[in-house]
Amino acid sequence: MRPAELPSIPAWEPVPGLYIVATPIGNLGDITLRALAVLQGAALVACEDTRVTGKLLKHFGIKARLQRLDDHASPETRTRIIDEARHAPVALVSDAGTPLISDPGYRLVREARAAGVIVTSIPGPCAAVSALAIAGLPSDRFLFAGFLPVKDKARRETLEGLADVAATLVFYETAPRIERSLAAIAELWPQREVAVARELTKLHEECRTGTAAALAAHYAAHPPKGEIVLLIGPPDEAEAPVQDTDALLRAALADAGPGKAAGQVAKATGIDRAVLYARALELKGE
Ligand code: SAM
């Protein structure tokens, strides 16, 4: 959307306070009229990266005073922003989506509230919510858990810690890591329905659902690009209790090589053989 095509920005009485403003996650047409009004009227726009926000504002023909506020911001920087918000409207944006959702801002909001500054939200895009809205997984209860750890062991432990949560699990993920995450899920929960929502609101948006093993196989053959939300359906009441596949593999490895052990356990459990083979190699190397 070019500035010339914009509907007129609504009139807004600039009231002092801290405005938490959501911005598009890909499609600039998703900016809200209230977001534009606040960004235009703010005395200061605190942002994760001044270049990214500068570009966004330029697109909409808005000039604003920008102040970097990322996870490394000093307490003095936050105090200065809060002091300004006592007397004038101050906006907080992140590079994309809703600030504070796997993005900076938590400390600023907490300290602003403690200082008695009005904190208000200008809602809009959020990748986790958009993914949940289109994945077709139960949406009555969900648990958003941010990014999965990068290291295999930590990722596995995080997933295991969420095994009994009776809700759809929602994670942010990156394209280079999706295959390993899916393999870990396939090993723990072979029957659960999983969704991969990619490039939401952009030209190449897609949302694929299936078992983690099937999705891992798909992305092994078609390495994905772009930004990803990974969702895991809740445990089905009829689902067989989670099997200790490591114990089964270890027992099989006592008498067989990784290939044969993976084959035996795959036959007994229905878990994808390739996933078991990768784990058997890891266990053998321990
Ligand atoms: N605050 C943002 C929000 O409200 O969605 C999230 C910021 S977080 C640093 C960035 C992660 O969000 C990406 O790595 C990806 O997992 C997810 N994400 C952001 N935009 C996305 C999009 N258009 N499609 C899919 N996932 C997206």
Side-chain angles (χ1 to χ4, degrees):
M1 195 187 282
R2 289 189 298 277
E5 296 165 340
L6 285 175
S8 56
I9 297 177
W12 173 62
E13 184 72 32
V15 176
L18 180 61
Y19 292 73
I20 310 303
V21 182
T23 57
I25 55 170
N27 189 325
L28 293 180
D30 293 334
I31 193 87
T32 69
L33 294 176
R34 285 226 298 150
L36 289 174
V38 169
L39 292 170
Q40 190 173 62
L44 176 73
V45 175
C47 57
E48 216 181 334
D49 184 327
T50 52
R51 278 167 310 174
V52 173
T53 300
K55 252 167 111 178
L56 178 81
L57 295 183
K58 190 165 175 224
H59 177 87
F60 291 110
I62 293 173
K63 284 205 177 98
R65 189 157 62 87
L66 300 181
Q67 159 76 60
R68 188 182 177 109
L69 181 111
D70 58 17
D71 282 332
H72 312 291
S74 66
E76 294 74 35
T77 302
R78 294 197 297 274
T79 304
R80 270 203 310 277
I81 293 172
I82 291 167
D83 280 345
E84 186 144 0
R86 291 178 203 277
H87 311 289
V90 171
L92 171 71
V93 298
S94 58
D95 284 355
T98 301
L100 280 85
I101 307 302
S102 288
D103 267 340
Y106 160 71
R107 284 199 188 87
L108 182 74
V109 167
R110 193 169 170 79
E111 289 165 13
R113 292 181 63 84
V117 167
I118 292 171
V119 180
T120 188
S121 150
I122 308 295
C126 175
V129 173
S130 293
L132 191 69
I134 64 168
L137 291 172
S139 56
D140 53 338
R141 301 182 83 200
F142 67 94
L143 186 144
F144 172 67
F147 285 93
L148 273 170
V150 179
K151 298 234 165 88
D152 288 352
K153 187 163 175 277
R155 184 196 294 118
R156 194 182 159 84
E157 283 168 4
T158 298
L159 288 169
E160 279 170 350
L162 296 168
D164 296 329
V165 174
T168 293
L169 305 176
V170 185
F171 300 97
Y172 284 158
E173 191 46 283
T174 64
R177 289 189 216 139
I178 187 71
E179 227 190 292
R180 287 197 77 80
S181 292
L182 288 167
I185 296 163
E187 209 178 297
L188 282 172
W189 305 314
Q191 288 128 324
R192 284 206 201 173
E193 196 178 350
V194 173
V196 174
R198 200 171 64 80
E199 293 290 86
L200 293 164
T201 77
K202 304 185 204 175
L203 188 62
H204 298 292
E205 171 173 314
E206 70 163 10
C207 183
R208 284 184 177 272
T209 53
T211 62
L215 290 169
H218 172 80
Y219 288 115
H222 309 93
K225 285 190 184 144
E227 300 190 282
I228 290 175
V229 183
L230 171 63
L231 305 97
I232 307 172
D236 185 339
E237 276 164 30
E239 191 177 275
V242 175
Q243 309 183 52
D244 187 349
T245 44
D246 277 5
L248 295 174
L249 277 173
R250 279 202 180 91
L253 282 168
D255 307 311
K260 200 166 171 201
Q264 286 170 1
V265 178
K267 208 166 163 199
T269 61
I271 299 174
D272 189 69
R273 188 185 167 283
V275 171
L276 291 167
Y277 180 62
R279 183 68 187 147
L281 288 177
E282 282 173 7
L283 290 175
K284 210 164 163 61
E286 275 178 1

